[in-house]
Amino acid sequence: MAYDLEEQEKLDAMRAWWDRWGTLCIVAAFVLVAAVAGWRGWQWYQGHQAGQAMGYFEALESAAAQQGEESDARIKAASGTLRTDFAKSAYTSRGVLVAAQALQQRGDLEGAREQLEWLVKADHDKPMTPLARLRLAGVLLEQKKYDEALAQLDNPPASFAGLFADRKGDILAAQGQNEQARQAWTQAVELLKNDPISQVVQIKLDALAGA
């Protein structure tokens, strides 16, 4: 098939362009396809991981609602899997809090402490860390480890300042430091003045004054 001069010039220009940019176009197209496939694969993986973490979280909640040594073991096993295999999942931080509360209620203070210390140290879920510190201070108070409990309450975030002050008052009162406890509870009442919890703290203050 013969081409006229103009058509031949166009073909030559296309060949020259392809010789210069063809390989780059192929590579770019491959990279784009790989990126899309990788992103979809990552989304699938994330969804799969979330589904598995949710399963262990639900198993932990179920075990926490039951009683007995077998349920205690299931709580620790489910929490252990969440912490090991799904450390950064939102289900894990919540699961650890559930596990710690259940173990504390059952009198396993060491078990509860271990759960909360992991959550504080990992610090994967920033909003949950202050709550873990507050609860850890409560567990340490029950263990009469007062200095360690107070250390958990240093530098409270603004949103937890009132609750931290209340817990600090509890610890100081347990140590017999009534004046320091009164100061902490007074601060807590002021910080929690728009919260019903302030009424509970006020009762502590009134009881301390009566004592």
Side-chain angles (χ1 to χ4, degrees):
M1 181 177 180
Y3 297 97
D4 60 28
L5 182 60
E6 183 178 355
E7 290 176 332
Q8 188 62 47
E9 288 176 348
K10 289 180 179 180
L11 288 172
D12 291 343
M14 290 176 63
R15 291 193 187 98
W17 184 92
W18 182 255
D19 289 342
R20 183 175 182 181
W21 303 107
T23 301
L24 182 60
C25 288
I26 293 172
V27 171
F30 175 80
V31 169
L32 178 60
V33 170
V36 171
W39 173 245
R40 290 181 177 176
W42 174 249
Q43 287 182 311
W44 176 88
Y45 174 76
Q46 289 288 83
H48 180 66
Q49 289 288 95
Q52 287 192 306
M54 181 177 69
Y56 283 105
F57 174 77
E58 290 175 345
L60 195 159
E61 278 194 314
S62 176
Q66 300 172 13
Q67 297 293 328
E69 292 183 4
E70 183 179 346
S71 63
D72 291 357
R74 288 170 55 204
I75 289 171
K76 293 180 179 179
S79 176
T81 300
L82 283 170
R83 289 156 53 184
T84 301
D85 297 343
F86 311 97
K88 295 184 179 181
S89 170
Y91 286 109
T92 298
S93 55
R94 287 156 180 76
V96 170
L97 288 175
V98 171
Q101 184 176 19
L103 294 172
Q104 183 178 5
Q105 291 173 344
R106 298 164 191 232
D108 185 356
L109 297 180
E110 274 301 311
R113 175 182 176 178
E114 192 269 336
Q115 299 283 333
L116 293 168
E117 285 180 337
W118 178 88
L119 187 53
V120 170
K121 184 177 180 180
D123 197 26
H124 292 315
D125 194 338
K126 298 292 183 182
M128 289 294 183
T129 301
L131 180 57
R133 288 171 57 194
L134 182 67
R135 293 189 180 182
L136 178 56
V139 171
L140 292 167
L141 170 59
E142 285 194 58
Q143 293 183 310
K144 303 186 186 303
K145 297 180 179 181
Y146 303 123
D147 291 339
E148 293 179 54
L150 288 171
Q152 291 298 324
L153 303 175
D154 289 339
N155 303 314
S159 58
F160 277 81
L163 295 174
F164 274 44
D166 176 36
R167 184 57 48 84
K168 185 176 182 180
D170 295 340
I171 298 166
L172 293 168
Q175 290 179 293
Q177 300 183 40
N178 290 349
E179 179 56 30
Q180 291 92 328
R182 184 189 66 78
Q183 293 174 7
W185 281 333
T186 300
Q187 181 186 26
V189 168
E190 178 62 26
L191 291 169
L192 296 168
K193 59 185 176 182
N194 296 322
D195 192 309
I197 297 175
S198 64
Q199 299 175 19
V200 177
V201 183
Q202 185 62 54
I203 292 173
K204 298 178 186 179
L205 274 170
D206 294 343
L208 187 62

